[in-house]
Structure formats: C-alpha cells, structure tokens
C-alpha cells in the first residue's frame, strides 16, 4: 500500500475505533457488548493457537535442552574429577596410615633393643648381583650405610647389607638360601644357626642335639663379633616344627620368620649397635593364657521315696511327683551337672 494521505487517515480511524471498542469493553465488564464477538473469535482461533503451541513447545524444549547440555556436561565432568580425586585421597590415606604403622613398630623395636637405626624404603627387588632373595633400598654410603650392617623392620630380622652405592644399597634377605645367622632361643639360651629356604620356613640346627625344643618357642639373633653382620636380640621367628634327629648329632628345627619378605616397605639399617645385649627385650609380649573356669559338678541321689537330694542334703525335687523330672532338670541346671547315684537307684 502506498503511503498517501488517505491511507494515513484510514490508519488513524482504525486506531480510534480500536480504542473506542476497548473503552466500551472495559466499562461494560461482564456484560460487555463485544463479549459475544470475543467468544466467537476464541472458538474460531483457539484450536489454531493450541496446534501452533503443540508444534512449537517440543522445539522450544529441544532448544532449551541443547542450551543446557553444555552446563550439564561440565557438571558431570566436575563430579567425575571430584570423585577421582576423592578415591585417590582415600587410597593415599590408607597408604600413609600403613607406612605410619610400619614406622611406629620399627621405632618401638629399635627403642627396645637400643639400636641406632637409619630409616630407608625398599625401592626394588632382585638386584643384579645374582642373589635370589634381595631388595634395594634408597640409602647408601652417603647416608652412613656400610657393608655387613643388620637390617630390620617392625616385625624382626630382614637381612644384612651386602653391596653399597652412594645413594642405594642391596640387602640379602634372611630367607635366601645363602643366608645364615646365629640364633639364641628365648629363656633356654640354646644356640643354633638359621638358614634361609626361600618361601619355606627357616631351617635351624642347634648346637645341642638334645635341646628341648617345641612348637611356639621363639628365637632372636645371637650377635656377631663386633656386631657385624648381626647385632644381638633381633627377633628371628617362631618354631613351627621339630624333626627327630634320626641318629644324627643335631635335629632340624623349622622356624617361621616374623618378617613377611614379599611385602617389605619401610626398613631400618642398624648403624649403631646396642651397648648391652637386649636378649629377649625386643620380642613381643606373649599373650596371657587364661585357664578355663572349672564347671562345678553336684551329685544328686534318689531316695526310696523318690526325693532328689543334693550333696548338702537339700531336697531339690521328687521323681514321683508330676513335673518332678522338670524340677530335677531345673535343679541340675542351677547346681551344675547332676548325676544320679547308681547305688541309690539299685536300693530303690
């Protein structure tokens, strides 16, 4: 339509009519003269509006979902990272707690034996020197480590230092077949020599072939001349089996070592020997064995009249009365294990 004077007058006229209809509708309220026309328009155009809305809403929802998907992805990624960090922290805490327990046990042993130790960590197993049971530790000559020093942990004897470098050292473990250490038995002081057997218990031969040895006896290191390679008093293990001599001069005793050689982590190298032999001081305290309390036994005799009489002469029931058996059982439970007198039964 061209912008002419007539078109502008028509536009003004339509606007004036629209305002007039709005004014009439507002003043008329519920009885507005244009209400019928409005309802008719709603009847005609309502279905069209609903159809358009139904067609547009899924598109709007999809657009909203696409718009929010980036935020949701970022949130999921953040949660996954937080979860991974939490798992790592928990694992780290468990690892730290384990190392703290190992260090605490080792320091207690060192304190009990008055050993001056240098702490180290196992960083490798099976060194290149050809030994079958060795580990490498992260302490060497720069840390004061020397060859033929005793190595221990919180459980007992680990081995001895064989090769030393500036920053690392090799330790021959006590279960290696080439490893031998002098031992002394707890309390009896019987001396012997323990030899490694790999994954099997240590083999110990006592100097006294008739020494009294039984399962459960415990051994510590006897010590070496000038405390090298072994200081005295380090726990070695516990006897698990004793083989008969079979005509030999000595018997073979099998000892389960205290140390778990397949799970070594924190160890201590004894750089200063104790002034005095600690003997059995480093061994853990034996658990106190409690004797079982004896169960009292009361003998109940049956009288000719059927009365049940205990050892003190007290009548606890009668077998002839109704429920006498139950009464006798109850009395027996209270007094102990009741046993009827056979002689009295014979008399009856």
């Amino acid at each position: 339509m061209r912008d002419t004077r007539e078109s502008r007058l028509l536009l003004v006229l339509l606007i004036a009519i629209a305002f007039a209809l709005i004014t009439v509708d507002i003043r008329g309220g519920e009885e507005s003269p244009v209400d019928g026309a409005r309802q008719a328009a709603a009847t005609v155009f309502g279905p069209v509006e609903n159809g358009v809305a139904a067609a547009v809403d899924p598109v709007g929802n999809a657009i909203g979902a696409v718009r929010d998907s980036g935020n949701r992805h970022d949130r999921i990624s953040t949660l996954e990272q937080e979860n991974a960090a939490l798992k790592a922290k928990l694992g780290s805490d468990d690892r730290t707690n384990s190392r703290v327990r190992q260090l605490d046990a080792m320091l207690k042993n060192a304190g009990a034996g008055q050993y001056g130790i240098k702490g180290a960590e196992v960083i490798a197993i099976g060194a290149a020197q050809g030994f079958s049971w060795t580990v490498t530790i992260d302490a060497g000559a720069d840390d004061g480590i020397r060859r033929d020093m005793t190595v221990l942990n919180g459980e007992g004897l680990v081995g001895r230092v064989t090769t030393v470098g500036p920053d690392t050292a090799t330790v021959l473990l006590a279960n290696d077949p080439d490893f031998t250490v002098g031992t002394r038995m707890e309390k009896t002081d019987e001396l012997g020599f323990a030899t490694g057997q790999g994954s099997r218990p240590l083999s110990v031969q006592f100097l006294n072939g008739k020494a009294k040895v039984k399962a459960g006896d415990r051994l510590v290191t006897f010590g070496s001349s000038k405390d090298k390679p072994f200081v005295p008093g380090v726990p070695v293990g516990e006897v698990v089996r004793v083989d008969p001599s079979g005509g030999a001069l000595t018997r073979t005793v099998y000892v389960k070592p205290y140390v778990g050689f397949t799970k070594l982590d924190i160890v201590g190298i004894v750089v200063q020997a104790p002034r005095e032999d600690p003997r059995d001081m480093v061994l853990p305290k034996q658990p106190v064995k409690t004797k079982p309390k004896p169960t009292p036994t009361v003998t109940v005799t049956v009288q000719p009249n059927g009365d049940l009489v205990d050892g003190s002469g007290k009548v606890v029931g009668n077998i002839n009365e109704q429920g006498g058996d139950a009464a006798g059982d109850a009395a027996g439970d209270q007094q102990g294990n009741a046993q009827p007198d056979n002689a009295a039964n014979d008399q009856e």
Side-chain angles (χ1 to χ4, degrees):
M1 179 183 293
R2 298 176 59 184
D3 186 12
T4 62
R5 182 177 180 184
E6 291 80 4
S7 62
R8 287 197 295 270
L9 290 175
L10 179 61
L11 178 61
V12 172
L13 179 62
L14 291 175
I15 293 174
I17 293 172
F19 275 107
L21 291 175
I22 293 172
T23 303
V24 171
D25 185 35
I26 294 175
R27 290 184 177 181
E30 295 180 357
E31 298 180 356
S32 171
V34 297
D35 184 61
R38 183 169 55 246
Q39 291 180 0
T43 302
V44 174
F45 295 105
V48 178
E49 292 176 349
N50 290 334
V52 173
V56 173
D57 285 347
V59 177
N61 293 336
I63 294 173
V66 172
R67 184 179 61 250
D68 296 338
S69 63
N71 295 334
R72 293 177 182 174
H73 178 74
D74 293 342
R75 180 56 179 163
I76 292 174
S77 178
T78 302
L79 291 175
E80 289 177 347
Q81 293 176 2
E82 292 177 353
N83 190 27
L86 180 59
K87 289 182 178 179
K89 183 177 184 299
L90 291 175
S92 177
D93 288 345
D94 291 341
R95 174 69 171 159
T96 301
N97 292 336
S98 174
R99 293 167 68 88
V100 168
R101 288 192 297 268
Q102 293 179 52
L103 182 60
D104 182 64
M106 184 176 69
L107 292 177
K108 287 181 179 179
N109 280 352
Q114 297 299 306
Y115 307 125
I117 64 172
K118 173 70 177 181
E121 181 181 357
V122 174
I123 57 175
I125 60 175
Q129 283 80 357
F131 298 120
S132 56
W133 288 88
T134 60
V135 295
T136 302
I137 58 176
D138 63 349
D142 294 344
D143 303 295
I145 307 302
R146 300 291 182 268
R147 180 182 171 88
D148 287 336
M149 284 185 169
T150 305
V151 182
L152 52 78
N153 66 2
E155 298 171 322
L157 179 66
V158 172
R160 62 181 176 87
V161 178
T162 57
T163 306
V164 181
D167 303 312
T168 61
T170 301
V171 178
L172 179 66
L173 302 181
N175 64 335
D176 187 274
D178 292 334
F179 186 97
T180 300
V181 58
T183 62
R184 183 176 57 79
M185 187 182 296
E186 179 186 16
K187 297 180 181 178
T188 64
D189 292 336
E190 294 286 353
L191 303 181
F193 293 95
T195 302
Q197 296 193 113
S199 58
R200 295 179 296 169
L202 306 177
S203 173
V204 180
Q205 291 187 340
F206 286 93
L207 300 182
N208 181 6
K210 297 182 180 180
K212 294 182 178 180
V213 186
K214 65 182 185 301
D217 288 341
R218 305 188 296 178
L219 286 77
V220 298
T221 56
F222 176 68
S224 306
S225 175
K226 297 183 180 180
D227 300 313
K228 288 189 177 183
F230 303 109
V231 294
V234 180
V236 175
E238 185 175 304
V239 175
V240 292
R241 191 173 88 244
V242 180
D243 283 354
S245 59
L249 296 178
T250 60
R251 292 176 297 171
T252 301
V253 178
Y254 296 95
V255 173
K256 180 181 179 181
Y258 287 121
V259 173
F261 297 105
T262 60
K263 53 182 180 180
L264 291 172
D265 187 9
I266 303 298
V267 298
I269 304 91
V270 181
V271 295
Q272 183 177 358
R275 294 182 179 179
E276 297 181 358
D277 186 348
R279 303 183 71 82
D280 304 332
M281 295 297 295
V282 188
L283 283 170
K285 293 183 179 180
Q286 290 276 33
V288 179
K289 297 181 179 180
T290 58
K291 296 182 178 180
K293 295 182 179 180
T295 302
T297 301
V298 179
T299 301
V300 178
T301 58
V302 181
Q303 300 299 317
N305 60 356
D307 288 342
L308 299 175
V309 180
D310 62 13
S312 63
K314 181 180 178 182
V315 178
V316 295
N318 189 291
I319 62 175
N320 296 324
E321 296 179 356
Q322 184 178 2
D325 291 340
D329 292 341
D333 292 338
Q334 295 176 357
Q335 298 295 329
N337 297 331
Q339 299 178 352
D341 189 346
N342 293 334
N345 288 336
D346 294 338
Q347 182 179 359
E348 181 181 7

